[in-house]
Amino acid sequence: MVDVIVVGGGIIGLTAAMRLRERGAEVTVWAPSGPEQTVSAVAAAVWYPTRTLFEPRVLAWAAATYDQFRRHAFARVPGVLVRETRNLERDGAAGEPWWAPAARGVRYLPIDPPWTREIRFQAPLVEMGTYLPWLRERLVAAGARVVRRRVDRLEEALVEAPVVVNATGLAAGTLCGDPDVFPVRGQIVRVANPGIIVSVRDQGDPGTYVHPRSRDVVLGGTWQANNWNTAPDPATRDAILERCVALVPELAGAPIVGEEAGLRPARRGGPRVEAEKWPAGTVVHAYGHGGAGMTLCWGTADEVASLVCDESLTVR
């Protein structure tokens, strides 16, 4: 028997497992594949609560995650950068965005039409292809086990552990019968970095973003609800390139080095992070983060660890 089985090996599952291990739980992660094959690996992975509604605990998750990735960047953790970021707004908003207190130093600047305001802040950026394997290795070095295993029912894990963390993302809709879970397709294009170091995000619809990494630049984006297609679409790629070059002309002619599409695990009503008693034990749910998994992961992991380690659950 182990204390906790975390089902799901993306950014939500791995960070939750790490926080649980830090608090003394015996942890096993079940995942059907390596982290490089999760939707987390496709994400642009820049801190920003994309299409996430305000809740006090969501703000707390965002702030905790922001601070953790800043600490990672200071410690030179592989794959973690911090980029100056320009948010270009079009909606005429004048008040402070709900997420601003988490970003530690937001500035507001005038800008010419069609935009109505520029918001500047420093945002952590994570190169998931590097960071996720590093995180898995750190987790194993800390004493956790990572097992390649696919589950059809969460009861399979409850047979082997009294507490199961359900970090299954889109699969949670089936595994725990949640009708509010749905996919949101996102497609990105990666081009060689011509020397850009500032991220830019345009609030238009569809939104457009340019996120420079160490060797390439991630370009997007799309928000296609209930679209299950994970194959890159050439017309979508061309539209992304056109919008991004118009936004950052330095990208003109930059060679394409990759393109991917993935399914964000969205949920009507926002992320579900709570403990639920099942006949065979306790399931702690941690899914439904949509396009903000990286932005909320470490804060979510803190709450998951607190839920699991609550006295009523009696982690042994």
Side-chain angles (χ1 to χ4, degrees):
M1 295 284 285
V2 296
D3 285 333
V4 186
I5 291 176
V6 176
V7 184
I11 191 66
I12 299 295
L14 292 181
T15 52
M18 180 61 79
R19 285 292 190 252
L20 285 162
R21 188 70 196 110
E22 290 170 351
R23 294 190 54 170
E26 293 296 323
V27 179
T28 299
V29 176
W30 287 4
S33 58
E36 65 280 357
Q37 293 175 284
T38 65
V39 69
S40 298
V42 180
V46 178
W47 187 96
Y48 183 69
T50 302
R51 302 198 185 216
T52 302
L53 298 177
F54 169 73
E55 287 184 43
R57 68 175 187 160
V58 172
L59 177 58
W61 297 341
T65 304
Y66 184 94
D67 291 345
Q68 180 63 74
F69 279 126
R70 289 295 298 259
R71 290 192 293 270
H72 275 346
F74 182 78
R76 298 186 182 276
V77 167
V80 181
L81 307 169
V82 174
R83 292 299 195 201
E84 182 74 11
T85 299
R86 302 174 63 213
N87 268 22
L88 309 182
E89 294 188 339
R90 294 173 179 259
D91 61 6
E96 180 180 74
W98 69 262
W99 52 265
R104 320 294 189 202
V106 172
R107 293 103 67 204
Y108 304 94
L109 303 173
I111 192 170
D112 293 331
W115 301 286
T116 57
R117 180 172 67 169
E118 177 177 336
I119 301 179
R120 284 216 175 206
F121 62 102
Q122 292 192 329
L125 178 154
V126 178
E127 299 180 345
M128 286 292 197
T130 299
Y131 182 75
L132 289 172
W134 174 88
L135 183 57
R136 179 182 54 186
E137 291 171 9
R138 287 294 297 268
L139 185 58
V140 171
R145 296 177 64 231
V146 179
V147 177
R148 291 282 183 98
R149 179 165 175 173
R150 182 181 300 277
V151 300
D152 296 314
R153 299 169 66 245
L154 291 176
E155 288 87 348
E156 296 171 34
L158 286 168
V159 169
E160 300 189 29
V163 181
V164 169
V165 175
N166 173 22
T168 56
L170 201 54
T174 300
L175 288 172
C176 62
D178 188 340
D180 290 320
V181 176
F182 64 97
V184 175
R185 182 180 183 275
Q187 180 168 330
I188 62 167
V189 182
R190 293 184 292 108
V191 300
N193 192 339
I196 297 169
I197 59 173
V198 175
S199 282
V200 185
R201 184 182 292 106
D202 184 350
Q203 191 186 51
D205 189 14
T208 301
Y209 56 76
V210 173
H211 296 313
R213 307 197 300 181
S214 56
R215 292 187 175 89
D216 60 13
V217 186
V218 179
L219 309 180
T222 56
W223 187 269
Q224 299 170 334
N226 296 304
N227 185 329
W228 291 86
N229 182 17
T230 58
D233 172 64
T236 301
R237 175 199 62 212
D238 293 345
I240 288 171
L241 287 170
E242 182 178 359
R243 297 199 315 270
C244 289
V245 169
L247 191 62
V248 181
E250 296 92 328
L251 291 168
I256 295 173
V257 296
E259 53 183 317
E260 293 88 27
L263 305 179
R264 304 177 182 98
R267 181 176 182 270
R268 284 177 287 274
R272 185 184 183 191
V273 181
E274 63 181 2
E276 182 180 29
K277 288 293 187 181
W278 285 34
T282 299
V283 176
V284 176
H285 299 288
Y287 66 87
H289 294 73
M294 173 271 186
T295 301
L296 305 176
C297 63
W298 283 107
T300 296
D302 291 334
E303 184 155 337
V304 167
S306 294
L307 288 167
V308 170
C309 297
D310 184 275
E311 292 183 29
S312 65
L313 302 186
T314 317
V315 169
R316 298 168 302 173

